[in-house]
Amino acid sequence: MGSGRLYVAVAAGGFRRYATYRAATAAGVFTNTVFGIILVYTYLALWDERPYLGGYDQTQAVTYAWLGQALFSTLAIQGGGAEKDLMARIRTGEIAVDLYRPADLQLWWLASDLGRSLFQLLGRGVIPFVFGALFFSMALPRSVTTWVAFLVAVALAMIVSFGIRYLAALLMFWLMDDRGIAQTLMIAGVFCSGMTLPLNAFPDPFGDIVRTLPWAAQLQMPADVLMGEVSPWHAYGFQAAWALVLLAAGRLLQSAATRRVVVQGG
């Protein structure tokens, strides 16, 4: 099998794996919808007091809230993607099998995570977003071109998200305990991605700093592309730059971690 076909097969396997958990997916859809309703009414109250906070009107704030719920699991903002399995394999020593495969370790896990992300977008993200569009006023574009540009931004956000989580997972080679890593990923992901509040609503100079971090490429950039608040090419440049930096850093850390591997248990 050619290398390209191999990674496509790995991505398809990741998609099929998560597609088997139908009850969990249904529960996730319900949870994201409920949290979306709670967050929307919180935003509406906040924007009543602070109109045009962060440059958004109320309909844009509502759109941002529902988009966050649609991409929450897609981008594994709180963790729980491929990095969870990778950390477990490092801890148990099964990573030795991965290192003997005739495949690139980073690309293998990237393909697997992209398959997971695609399923979560279609299986868990679409329904809450459609629910929000049906029952709340949202700032949705009418141009097909804008929707395509948005999907490209989401695809780049998936790669950035993986890059962050892959770096964190590789720390298991030294720490051998994933609890602290998982907690750090969760806190940084929820806060720095703008999951609780749009990053453009953060006060400066802190807002300027957090908007330059890679987490801004996950939710804020796709949202601004969808609502026409930023040029797609500006968003793509920001996201692609962080994707390259994170993947290169992951490659270097992977090289350092696997130069001399002591497998857990012997």
Side-chain angles (χ1 to χ4, degrees):
M1 179 182 291
S3 59
R5 291 173 58 197
L6 170 63
Y7 298 121
V8 169
V10 172
F15 186 98
R16 287 196 302 269
R17 174 188 173 188
Y18 281 85
T20 59
Y21 300 113
R22 295 179 185 137
T25 299
V29 168
F30 176 78
T31 301
N32 286 126
T33 303
V34 171
F35 272 96
I37 294 171
I38 295 171
L39 192 60
V40 162
Y41 280 108
T42 302
Y43 278 12
L44 289 174
L46 178 59
W47 260 259
D48 275 337
E49 294 296 320
R50 295 285 304 276
Y52 297 100
L53 177 63
Y56 285 171
D57 59 26
Q58 277 194 338
T59 58
Q60 289 176 311
V62 170
T63 305
Y64 185 94
W66 284 113
L67 186 60
Q69 294 305 308
L71 297 181
F72 182 75
S73 294
T74 301
L75 302 177
I77 288 175
Q78 202 171 2
E83 85 286 349
K84 184 177 180 181
D85 294 332
L86 178 55
M87 287 190 286
R89 293 181 73 82
I90 296 172
R91 185 178 62 249
T92 61
E94 292 175 289
I95 189 65
V97 177
D98 299 338
L99 294 174
Y100 272 109
R101 286 193 183 115
D104 183 84
L105 184 69
Q106 187 183 51
L107 290 178
W108 178 283
W109 287 102
L110 173 59
S112 178
D113 196 62
L114 289 177
R116 176 205 62 81
S117 296
L118 182 58
F119 172 77
Q120 295 288 23
L121 177 63
L122 299 175
R124 184 167 170 174
V126 171
I127 294 177
F129 192 77
V130 171
F131 176 89
L134 290 175
F135 292 97
F136 295 89
S137 295
M138 292 171 60
L140 299 178
R142 299 190 180 188
S143 169
V144 175
T145 303
T146 303
W147 282 105
V148 172
F150 163 70
L151 292 176
V152 173
V154 170
L156 288 169
M158 291 177 183
I159 299 174
V160 172
S161 173
F162 169 79
I164 295 170
R165 291 177 286 111
Y166 188 72
L167 279 171
L170 290 176
L171 295 178
M172 278 291 292
F173 278 105
W174 292 276
L175 299 179
M176 300 308 299
D177 191 323
D178 63 352
R179 287 173 293 183
I181 301 172
Q183 287 295 319
T184 303
L185 271 178
M186 179 186 70
I187 295 170
V190 171
F191 184 76
C192 295
S193 69
M195 191 66 211
T196 54
L197 190 68
L199 297 181
N200 54 17
F202 284 25
D204 296 329
F206 179 72
D208 289 332
I209 296 172
V210 77
R211 284 191 293 270
T212 63
L213 299 177
W215 288 275
Q218 292 182 285
L219 177 56
Q220 188 69 55
M221 283 298 168
D224 283 342
V225 168
L226 182 68
M227 294 184 288
E229 291 294 313
V230 69
S231 163
W233 296 111
H234 172 79
Y236 299 162
F238 180 82
Q239 292 177 298
W242 270 118
L244 290 173
V245 168
L246 291 168
L247 292 177
R251 179 73 61 179
L252 290 173
L253 191 60
Q254 172 186 309
S255 177
T258 57
R259 188 171 297 121
R260 182 180 179 185
V261 179
V262 177
V263 175
Q264 181 81 330

